[in-house]
Amino acid sequence: MQMIALILMMFSSFLPPSITDEPVVLVNKSSHELAVYQSGKEIFHTKAATGKTKELTPEGHFTIRVKAKDPYYRKKDIPGGVPENPLGSRWIGFDANGTDGRIFGVHGTNRPESVGNAVSAGCIRLTNEKVEQFYDLVDEGTEIIIVDESTPFEQLYEQWHTGKLKGFLS
């Protein structure tokens, strides 16, 4: 039994997500929602704001690269942690369009009434309360999948999981 445990530990980074409990973030621009799935179960779900136009929030498979508490807003030189900061209390950046996680991200907002609408310059906004919960659920390296379709989250998760399993077995 110890030998099996040792082998599983050695190869855990190669195991499919249902075995390793790897979370995945799913964002649907058409419904303005974000969900986190882990081990086949939805563990987090909330409304989200996305880009003003379809093109602003990129679609595809990305990876979380940066996490920050009370992020600094470089564009307008606004320090983190102040009410005027449009990034809110957390930044979770991902590598869309060849970026390094500092351009596109999931973040809080100082305009909670905007959440659930197409209003951003490309990022995904959550209320500060929800982004703080989300921040604690994901790590750098977590996958984020962004779509603009009416497919239910359960089905998107199954498609992602099947793809991971196929990749593991090939």
Side-chain angles (χ1 to χ4, degrees):
M1 192 60 143
Q2 286 181 326
M3 183 60 111
I4 292 171
L6 181 61
I7 290 170
L8 283 176
M9 283 179 23
M10 289 173 50
F11 293 100
S12 65
S13 62
F14 302 108
L15 294 174
S18 60
I19 295 172
T20 63
D21 293 332
E22 174 186 342
V24 63
V25 179
L26 305 171
V27 177
N28 192 328
K29 295 180 349 181
S30 68
S31 63
H32 303 290
E33 294 175 285
L34 177 147
V36 178
Y37 273 73
Q38 189 170 24
S39 300
K41 295 181 180 137
E42 184 181 88
I43 61 168
F44 181 80
H45 190 136
T46 190
K47 282 293 196 185
T50 56
K52 290 178 196 172
T53 66
K54 177 179 169 48
E55 300 77 31
L56 287 174
T57 302
E59 296 170 28
H61 291 206
F62 310 108
T63 303
I64 293 173
R65 297 290 180 208
V66 176
K67 289 179 62 179
K69 292 182 178 180
D70 293 325
Y72 171 76
Y73 186 52
R74 287 185 272 170
K75 191 174 185 180
K76 294 194 176 179
D77 195 28
I78 301 173
V82 300
E84 301 79 30
N85 189 317
L87 299 179
S89 62
R90 301 289 184 273
W91 173 267
I92 301 99
F94 53 92
D95 60 356
N97 298 342
T99 62
D100 64 357
R102 299 182 194 286
I103 305 297
F104 293 98
V106 178
H107 62 80
T109 183
N110 61 355
R111 294 184 43 227
E113 71 281 358
S114 70
V115 173
N117 299 294
V119 295
S120 80
C123 288
I124 299 158
R125 291 184 198 165
L126 309 180
T127 64
N128 284 329
E129 176 186 356
K130 292 295 186 177
V131 81
E132 289 171 16
Q133 294 169 11
F134 174 67
Y135 185 93
D136 291 336
L137 293 173
V138 297
D139 294 316
E140 290 180 23
T142 300
E143 287 184 64
I144 181 168
I145 299 166
I146 304 172
V147 299
D148 187 13
E149 56 190 60
S150 60
T151 306
F153 280 132
E154 299 84 19
Q155 190 175 343
L156 290 172
Y157 175 80
E158 286 303 320
Q159 291 170 358
W160 172 81
H161 185 264
T162 300
K164 283 289 207 177
L165 196 53
K166 283 181 183 174
F168 172 70
L169 296 173
S170 60

